[in-house]
Amino acid sequence: MSINSIENLSDELFYEIFDYLNGCQIYHAFSNLNYRFHQLINSSSLLFKIRLGYYSRSNEIFMNNYKQILLLNKNQILSIYLWISDNTNQIISLFTIDSSFNCLESLMFNSIEPNVLISVLPKLTCLPRLFSLTIDTWSIQNDLGDIYRLIFNLQKLKYIKFTSTDSNDYDITISLPIATNEQISSIEYLNINHACAFDELFAIISYTPQLRRLKFLNLTGRNVNIKDIKPIILSNLTYLSIYIYEISFDEFEIFIN
């Protein structure tokens, strides 16, 4: 039998279509359409992917839908992408984090200020299924050690990509002690997308013994005697990508060993 109306499509097909759309757009288009679609978008079978970009904040209708989803459909949100460059306090104030986000698996913060990031990270510990975290910030404070401490407190996390830019990447430092057994993280995929010296790298991965994939930049002019760094065993590591600013072959051999 031929289908001559969109409403004759199955619920399963709509869910597949919705998977490609911004959750706020779904809410705007279908929430008040009719009873069937109201039931569809409030069903536990539908998980929203929320994307709040730079231009979204100037759209009052979009922002109202964003508020409604955060108010009424927290338990249906799978991922949130926040592009934050101005009006930061307004966006973060709407995003009250608690354990009712019980399906939230992925968070992405783009252009978030370091002080705002530090205020948000402790609140993420209540999320029972936060497996993926992507951070893009700029370094007002040159020491990223406090941010890494907060990241390693997220017990369910499996993937982290941390990008931090500075006018001079050489100024970025990471004051982080070697981890104790009580500080071990569940992270398996680590992408360090900022300047990182070798001793800082080994301090970071001491928290992540379950690593499977590691990617990092070594864009730093700080001299480190790699022979003084204690080795760390990563038994599960299957992928390593490194971008090194300057290193001799002998030092590289020591690092790989």
Side-chain angles (χ1 to χ4, degrees):
M1 184 177 71
S2 62
I3 296 176
N4 54 21
S5 171
I6 189 172
E7 292 195 41
N8 291 333
L9 298 175
S10 67
D11 291 353
E12 290 74 21
L13 187 53
F14 275 113
Y15 289 139
E16 188 170 341
I17 294 171
F18 289 163
D19 192 48
Y20 291 91
L21 302 178
N22 187 332
C24 293
Q25 294 172 330
I26 297 171
Y27 206 89
H28 174 57
F30 296 99
S31 60
N32 296 313
L33 189 60
N34 57 37
Y35 178 77
R36 181 199 176 189
F37 283 105
H38 177 78
Q39 293 296 105
L40 276 178
I41 67 171
N42 286 283
S43 168
S44 59
S45 298
L46 175 62
L47 296 178
F48 292 107
K49 299 175 182 178
I50 307 299
R51 186 179 181 91
L52 187 63
Y54 179 79
Y55 297 105
S56 306
R57 296 192 304 278
S58 61
N59 187 322
E60 183 178 351
I61 295 176
F62 190 99
M63 285 300 296
N64 287 335
N65 290 327
Y66 173 68
K67 294 175 185 178
Q68 285 294 105
I69 291 176
L70 291 183
L71 179 65
L72 302 175
N73 302 83
K74 286 183 179 182
N75 62 331
Q76 290 178 249
I77 298 178
L78 179 68
S79 65
I80 298 178
Y81 176 98
L82 293 178
W83 181 298
I84 306 170
S85 56
D86 57 5
N87 298 331
T88 296
N89 292 333
Q90 176 194 358
I91 302 302
I92 295 299
S93 66
L94 296 176
F95 187 50
T96 304
I97 303 167
D98 56 46
S99 58
S100 58
F101 285 91
N102 53 15
C103 288
L104 183 58
E105 296 184 1
S106 176
L107 265 176
M108 290 162 278
F109 295 111
N110 197 327
S111 301
I112 186 170
E113 297 177 11
N115 60 322
V116 176
L117 177 63
I118 288 175
S119 71
V120 169
L121 284 173
K123 301 175 184 178
L124 304 183
T125 57
C126 67
L127 298 174
R129 293 181 58 82
L130 183 62
F131 302 138
S132 175
L133 180 62
T134 301
I135 297 169
D136 187 331
T137 185
W138 61 92
S139 187
I140 296 175
Q141 53 192 60
N142 292 331
D143 193 339
L144 303 180
D146 287 342
I147 294 177
Y148 271 102
R149 288 184 185 89
L150 295 172
I151 290 172
F152 293 141
N153 285 335
L154 303 175
Q155 296 300 313
K156 300 295 184 180
L157 206 61
K158 296 294 184 183
Y159 171 92
I160 173 70
K161 180 179 180 181
F162 186 9
T163 300
S164 180
T165 56
D166 188 88
S167 57
N168 186 353
D169 280 341
Y170 297 159
D171 292 337
I172 293 178
T173 59
I174 307 161
S175 299
L176 198 65
I178 297 296
T180 65
N181 290 335
E182 292 75 29
Q183 297 172 310
I184 297 304
S185 167
S186 59
I187 292 172
E188 297 179 3
Y189 303 87
L190 175 60
N191 187 337
I192 303 172
N193 194 29
H194 58 73
C196 180
F198 283 117
D199 57 339
E200 296 167 335
L201 170 68
F202 275 75
I204 291 171
I205 63 177
S206 70
Y207 292 78
T208 59
Q210 301 179 50
L211 268 189
R212 297 180 182 275
R213 296 174 68 91
L214 172 62
K215 183 175 182 179
F216 80 100
L217 298 173
N218 181 236
L219 297 175
T220 177
R222 188 163 62 83
N223 292 323
V224 175
N225 189 346
I226 197 169
K227 295 179 181 178
D228 295 335
I229 300 175
K230 294 182 179 180
I232 292 178
I233 296 174
L234 298 174
S235 302
N236 298 325
L237 192 68
T238 60
Y239 175 90
L240 174 65
S241 174
I242 54 179
Y243 187 99
I244 300 177
Y245 173 67
E246 184 177 339
I247 191 173
S248 69
F249 183 81
D250 290 341
E251 289 176 317
F252 179 73
E253 183 179 24
I254 295 170
F255 166 72
I256 290 297
N257 286 333

